[in-house]
Amino acid sequence: MADIIILSTFASAVLIQHYLLNNKPLKTGYGLFAISFVVGVQTASSPLGLRFRSIYFSLVWLACCLFFSLNPYSLAKLPLLTFLAYHVIRLVFWKSHDREFIPFEAGRGRLFRHFSKTEGRVGGTKDKYFMKVLMITCFIILIYCMSGMVGVHIPVDK
């Protein structure tokens, strides 16, 4: 049920943003930044990635990310790039440790263990290391996407 709520919320936000971009271009700036930033940060710093093990969840998420990246601004590529980075790091972890990656949850200046009901365990030291690699990678992606926005004027109606 939570998967449906998460996917519906993301898909609704993407569709509203697309509608505003095509019909009311003066109201797209804050929504674009908010969607990109929230989705990118949640992918990199929370156990949301555990849901990506479901092929259906991943395919719908990928479709939403691809549709969202049709925006002409570089920041719109953040959700897609963080999604791909998560899967690359997850596959590297899986190949090297023969088990599923369990991401930690970032908060209050440190990482907190997360219990995966599917795996029946919490993340260990190796999971924590890969979580740090994921967060650094996604931070670099965020800087890259935001650097593409330098000098770009996003019209925002006040």
Side-chain angles (χ1 to χ4, degrees), residues 47-121:
L48 174 71
L50 287 174
R51 298 181 188 287
F52 294 148
R53 289 187 292 182
S54 166
I55 188 72
Y56 301 111
F57 188 92
S58 287
L59 287 174
V60 173
W61 192 270
L62 179 62
C64 288
C65 288
L66 287 171
F67 189 67
F68 186 67
S69 68
L70 295 176
N71 281 307
Y73 305 111
S74 66
L75 196 58
K77 292 168 184 53
L78 180 65
L80 178 63
L81 293 175
T82 55
F83 173 75
L84 294 175
Y86 182 88
H87 274 294
V88 167
I89 289 171
R90 178 179 164 241
L91 290 174
V92 168
F93 184 87
W94 191 35
K95 287 290 186 187
S96 61
H97 299 294
D98 256 351
R99 61 185 172 94
E100 190 65 42
F101 170 61
I102 298 180
F104 279 55
E105 187 167 359
R108 292 180 273 180
R110 62 184 200 166
L111 296 173
F112 296 96
R113 293 181 190 273
H114 179 76
F115 180 76
S116 171
K117 292 178 185 174
T118 307
E119 294 291 315
R121 65 179 182 86

Side-chain angles (χ1 to χ4, degrees), residues 15-25 28 67 70-72:
L15 289 173
I16 289 169
Q17 178 65 27
H18 186 71
Y19 171 78
L20 290 175
L21 180 68
N22 290 329
N23 298 320
K24 300 179 191 296
T28 61
F67 189 67
L70 295 176
N71 281 307

